[in-house]
Amino acid sequence: MPAKEVNPDLQKERNTATFNPHEFSVFWAGGEDRYKEKKALEKMFLEDPALQDDLPISYLSHKELYEHSLRKACIIGEKIRKLRADGEDGVDTYNALLGGSLGAAILKEGNPLALHYVMFVPTIMGQGTMEQQVEWLSKAWDCEIIGTYAQTELGHGTFLRGLETRADYDPKTQEFVINTPTLSAYKWWPGGLGHTANHAVVVAQLYTKGEFRGLAPFIVQLRDSDTHKPMPGIDIGDIGTKLGMKAVNNGYLGLKNVRVPLNNMLMKNQQVLPDGTYVAPKNSVLTYGTMMFVRCALIRDTAQSLAKSSTIATRYSAVRRQSPIDPNQPEPQIMDHTTQQLKLFPQIAKAIVFKTTGDGIWNMYNVISGEIEQGNLDRLPEMHALSCCLKAVCSADAAAGVETCRLSCGGHGFMDCSNFPTIYGMTTAVCTYEGENTVMLLQTARYLVKVYGQALNGEKLVPTVAYINEALSQQKFVNFDGSLESIVKAFQFVAANKTRIAYEQIELRRKQGHGTEVAANLCGTFLTAAADLHARAFLAQSAYTELLAVSREVSPALGDVLKVVLELYLVDACLNRIGDFLRFIDLTDQDVTKLEVRLESCLKRLRPNAVALVDSFDLHDRVLDSALGAYDGNVYEHIFESTKKNPLNKEPVNGSFHKYLKPFMKAHL
């Protein structure tokens, strides 16, 4: 951390903390070994002068930002090559550089090579045969080819069956002929597609022997390997500026009679034989494996967004003094205001809960992936449903949390130098990519309604929805005593009843003569509400299980703080859905008042350790990149330093004065 003198208010907060932040930092990193690896990576990447910005990137044009970011992305890629050669390129390294805080420190607006690593390579690994992996993976890992993943179209996104890109098999030449027959069929949004990638996995509707077979992925060469000029039949470019992720080089792609060899269709799950015979996959959901993989990873990314924003806002709130609480006393730190604590502390708690839940989901995904490899698909629907709703809820809550932290910093939070605009842009994008959130909730709800019907028939459900069996046998929730366990059980009871209502509403529409899909559309609000509560019930259970377990493994001092974090998360989550709780559980006015008083108590108890907690996230100043959130707390000095980097301030009189303003002012004379 910087050697500058630390702001005395911030130092006081650190001095009065009741636990050792380093202990939490090690837990947050995943253990001592991973903590050391994290520090080594930071030294390797953040201390490299070639990866630092002389000018804040907000002053660069779109073209300049892309070129600047691609230069740094290639340096990162070269370092990854070295790590691979030394056998040190583990999953954590890629997570840190491509989706984690380290990558965001180097490339604030995203990495134009990211999709090559996080989508192109995993798709080949997950959907390619062993022979195809041998052919393509070494080239991809060594970056002899640069790829992206082209699925979303100008006219269609999450609704995959609506995709218009078409691949027709020609048995005479044993090739697929790929076309985007309309403007709306153009591929739109893939990262790196604009000017970076020379290959792509293109998802298209497959036709063989004149029959529609469903979606299939094809490896398509987009640009010449030497000149980088578009290949014949390829219309390609960058889609332009965006709210966030401005350096990712999102592109568009049109294809006109582009021919690719038979073996360029990834055929691990489905096959086309040389004569055009189609061999269907055992389970159509298998083709969605790459998206499920990314959604699981995104849950942990949302925790990082909340960790960064809550660190910036909490440090700022320890330094900023304003609005006397006692008129006879000096202006207090704004973090002493209870309303400020209510903005900040739940975001800290959510960051911790989303991280522990994300780690659990990642482990669950790896276990189920192993089962799928062995041909056991039993838990695939459960994993798909859970990854969909958690991606939706965590990203929505994270985006809202980042905005809350920005608002907590007043006008200074609106400045680019706070880094909130960039963090928000990167976070809110997660609400849309890899499945728009409402559609994700609807996919989960489809699963919930199905398993509810199974539960009515007496079937025992898988662990993540077993609470539905319990609710059916319980009928009425009893003994809500306000304990953390009862809050978790109440969440599950409420979630089960939300699913019950969705199920009953769909059945009612069916009896009225509507088909299944029409009935689902008419009941859309019931379905999304059920999925939302399913995710929140899972988060509550995960928080309760994981944080209590961790609190028993760490020192008593840290364990006590984590218990307060857990209590704050659960009580706040309950109060945020109090209408649903009142609907299904016999809570009294006194019960609700007790919860509100407990929330205030949690804020008060967490207050002495708030700065130590965000320090424990161990976010390098380069990662935060914020004048408001630097480790030394010299907020006003850093804000003023940022103004000196403004190109407008490099000259005392801007040329526009003589060209426009002076003539305008003198015009009436």
Side-chain angles (χ1 to χ4, degrees):
M1 291 296 178
K4 291 182 180 179
E5 185 177 343
V6 175
N7 177 283
D9 282 331
L10 200 55
Q11 189 59 55
K12 181 193 71 174
E13 297 290 333
R14 290 169 178 146
N15 293 342
T16 56
T18 64
F19 72 100
N20 181 0
H22 176 73
E23 183 184 6
F24 184 95
S25 297
V26 171
F27 154 72
W28 185 257
E32 190 67 46
D33 289 343
R34 288 184 175 178
Y35 177 79
K36 290 177 180 176
E37 290 171 7
K38 172 180 178 287
K39 290 299 185 183
L41 284 173
E42 287 179 351
K43 181 175 180 63
M44 179 180 184
F45 285 89
L46 299 184
E47 293 183 11
D48 186 342
L51 293 176
Q52 297 178 10
D53 299 320
D54 296 326
L55 179 72
I57 62 171
S58 56
Y59 295 116
L60 300 179
S61 70
H62 182 59
K63 181 173 180 289
E64 289 170 336
L65 177 59
Y66 167 67
E67 293 167 351
H68 175 71
S69 300
L70 184 60
R71 177 188 65 80
K72 291 204 289 186
C74 289
I75 295 173
I76 293 172
E78 191 57 47
K79 288 179 180 287
I80 289 176
R81 275 180 178 159
K82 185 179 184 304
L83 289 169
R84 283 191 68 223
D86 296 339
E88 298 176 0
D89 63 328
V91 173
D92 292 334
T93 299
Y94 288 102
N95 284 340
L97 288 169
L98 300 170
S101 58
L102 182 57
I106 303 167
L107 291 162
K108 282 181 60 177
E109 289 289 356
N111 186 335
L113 292 178
L115 252 68
H116 171 77
Y117 292 104
V118 302
M119 290 293 286
F120 183 69
V121 171
T123 300
I124 296 173
M125 294 174 67
Q127 301 192 42
T129 64
M130 190 58 66
E131 293 77 12
Q132 289 174 321
Q133 292 184 41
V134 169
E135 179 181 354
W136 294 103
L137 275 183
S138 62
K139 298 176 185 176
W141 277 121
D142 292 335
C143 293
E144 293 175 21
I145 61 173
I146 302 295
T148 186
Y149 184 85
Q151 176 174 287
T152 300
E153 297 174 356
L154 183 58
H156 286 90
T158 307
F159 181 61
L160 300 183
R161 284 175 290 167
L163 296 180
E164 298 177 80
T165 302
R166 176 171 174 146
D168 291 89
Y169 182 64
D170 181 354
K172 295 178 182 178
T173 61
Q174 294 188 15
E175 293 175 315
F176 294 99
V177 184
I178 306 180
N179 281 281
T180 47
T182 65
L183 179 63
S184 57
Y186 264 56
K187 296 300 181 183
W188 202 268
W189 281 113
L193 177 62
H195 294 274
T196 310
N198 59 11
H199 284 72
V201 171
V202 175
V203 179
Q205 305 285 12
L206 171 64
Y207 287 80
T208 69
K209 295 186 175 181
E211 293 185 33
F212 171 61
R213 307 296 188 179
L215 291 173
F218 303 86
I219 295 180
V220 179
Q221 184 171 353
L222 308 175
R223 293 177 178 271
D224 184 88
S225 299
D226 293 320
T227 66
H228 208 56
K229 289 185 177 180
M231 299 295 285
I234 298 291
D235 183 18
I236 194 169
D238 182 279
I239 65 170
T241 56
K242 308 173 294 293
L243 174 66
M245 306 186 77
K246 298 172 184 177
V248 174
N249 194 217
N250 301 92
Y252 64 81
L253 172 66
L255 304 103
K256 185 174 182 180
N257 295 326
V258 174
R259 288 180 171 266
V260 299
L262 172 63
N263 197 48
N264 278 38
M265 173 180 158
L266 296 177
M267 297 197 197
K268 179 179 180 180
N269 301 319
Q270 57 182 331
Q271 293 84 41
V272 173
L273 303 183
D275 66 354
T277 300
Y278 177 71
V279 182
K282 295 179 181 178
N283 189 315
S284 61
V285 181
L286 284 173
T287 57
Y288 303 149
T290 304
M291 289 180 290
M292 194 163 64
F293 159 80
V294 175
R295 286 169 191 153
C296 290
L298 289 177
I299 297 166
R300 293 197 291 189
D301 290 349
T302 63
Q304 285 293 336
S305 295
L306 284 170
K308 285 194 283 189
S309 57
S310 61
T311 298
I312 294 168
T314 300
R315 287 177 178 169
Y316 176 79
S317 297
V319 171
R320 179 78 164 182
R321 288 181 171 272
Q322 192 162 290
S323 304
I325 297 171
D326 181 343
N328 298 316
Q329 296 295 322
E331 288 184 301
Q333 297 161 283
I334 60 174
M335 193 160 55
D336 288 337
H337 293 276
T338 303
T339 50
Q340 185 77 348
Q341 295 169 13
L342 185 58
K343 292 176 184 178
L344 301 178
F345 298 172
Q347 313 316 324
I348 298 174
K350 286 175 192 171
I352 295 170
V353 169
F354 289 3
K355 170 67 162 56
T356 55
T357 300
D359 288 344
I361 288 294
W362 185 256
N363 294 335
M364 180 180 173
Y365 169 80
N366 287 325
V367 170
I368 292 177
S369 293
E371 294 174 357
I372 292 170
E373 288 291 331
Q374 300 300 317
N376 181 1
L377 309 179
D378 292 348
R379 297 191 68 188
L380 182 59
E382 176 192 15
M383 184 75 243
H384 173 69
L386 195 56
S387 67
C388 284
C389 67
L390 286 176
K391 181 267 184 191
V393 168
C394 291
S395 62
D397 281 8
V402 172
E403 175 66 354
T404 298
C405 288
R406 182 191 71 79
L407 291 169
S408 75
C409 295
H412 292 326
F414 197 68
M415 297 180 69
D416 262 335
C417 68
S418 73
N419 205 24
F420 280 121
T422 298
I423 297 173
Y424 180 76
M426 298 291 280
T427 307
T428 195
V430 184
C431 297
T432 303
Y433 66 68
E434 298 311 318
E436 190 276 331
N437 280 357
T438 300
V439 178
M440 292 294 93
L441 292 174
L442 289 171
Q443 290 196 21
T444 299
R446 185 189 299 268
Y447 170 78
L448 292 174
V449 167
K450 180 180 179 180
V451 298
Y452 190 86
Q454 294 171 349
L456 285 177
N457 292 329
E459 295 183 35
K460 184 180 179 181
L461 302 182
V462 294
T464 58
V465 287
Y467 65 83
I468 293 176
N469 289 128
E470 188 176 339
L472 284 173
S473 64
Q474 192 176 351
Q475 294 298 318
K476 185 177 181 180
F477 193 90
V478 294
N479 298 327
F480 181 87
D481 58 7
S483 67
L484 300 186
E485 184 178 8
S486 71
I487 292 175
V488 172
K489 291 293 184 183
F491 255 112
Q492 294 174 337
F493 189 79
V494 170
N497 278 280
K498 285 293 216 180
T499 298
R500 171 183 61 79
I501 289 172
Y503 177 89
E504 291 173 349
Q505 288 296 322
I506 285 181
E507 289 301 305
L508 177 63
R509 302 304 196 279
R510 282 175 174 164
K511 290 177 181 177
Q512 293 172 347
H514 297 293
T516 301
E517 296 302 327
V518 173
N521 178 57
L522 293 170
C523 299
T525 56
F526 296 103
L527 291 169
T528 54
D532 180 90
L533 259 298
H534 173 62
R536 296 188 186 282
F538 184 86
L539 285 164
Q541 176 66 63
S542 173
Y544 181 74
T545 303
E546 298 296 331
L547 289 183
L548 280 184
V550 172
S551 67
R552 289 190 288 267
E553 296 170 2
V554 298
S555 67
L558 176 55
D560 289 343
V561 175
L562 290 177
K563 288 174 185 175
V564 177
V565 168
L566 171 61
E567 184 178 0
L568 171 60
Y569 176 79
L570 289 176
V571 172
D572 181 60
C574 177
L575 287 171
N576 284 334
R577 288 294 183 277
I578 196 64
D580 291 318
F581 276 66
L582 289 169
R583 182 179 182 182
F584 300 113
I585 299 173
D586 292 332
L587 295 180
T588 65
D589 174 68
Q590 188 177 22
D591 290 328
V592 177
T593 300
K594 284 181 179 178
L595 286 170
E596 292 172 332
V597 171
R598 277 180 74 190
L599 177 65
E600 184 180 324
S601 171
C602 288
L603 298 175
K604 183 178 181 181
R605 283 180 283 145
L606 201 62
R607 166 67 183 83
N609 288 302
V611 168
L613 268 175
V614 297
D615 281 353
S616 300
F617 293 144
D618 195 37
L619 296 167
H620 195 286
D621 275 354
R622 283 279 307 281
V623 171
L624 294 174
D625 197 29
S626 173
L628 278 58
Y631 185 82
D632 62 26
N634 295 314
V635 171
Y636 303 122
E637 292 85 350
H638 289 307
I639 291 176
F640 198 72
E641 286 170 8
S642 73
T643 67
K644 293 301 183 180
K645 298 176 183 178
N646 184 343
L648 272 177
N649 295 330
K650 297 302 180 185
E651 51 187 1
V653 178
N654 183 263
S656 62
F657 171 76
H658 296 288
K659 192 173 182 180
Y660 305 116
L661 187 57
K662 186 176 181 179
F664 170 73
M665 295 169 66
K666 302 294 185 181
H668 70 287
L669 299 179

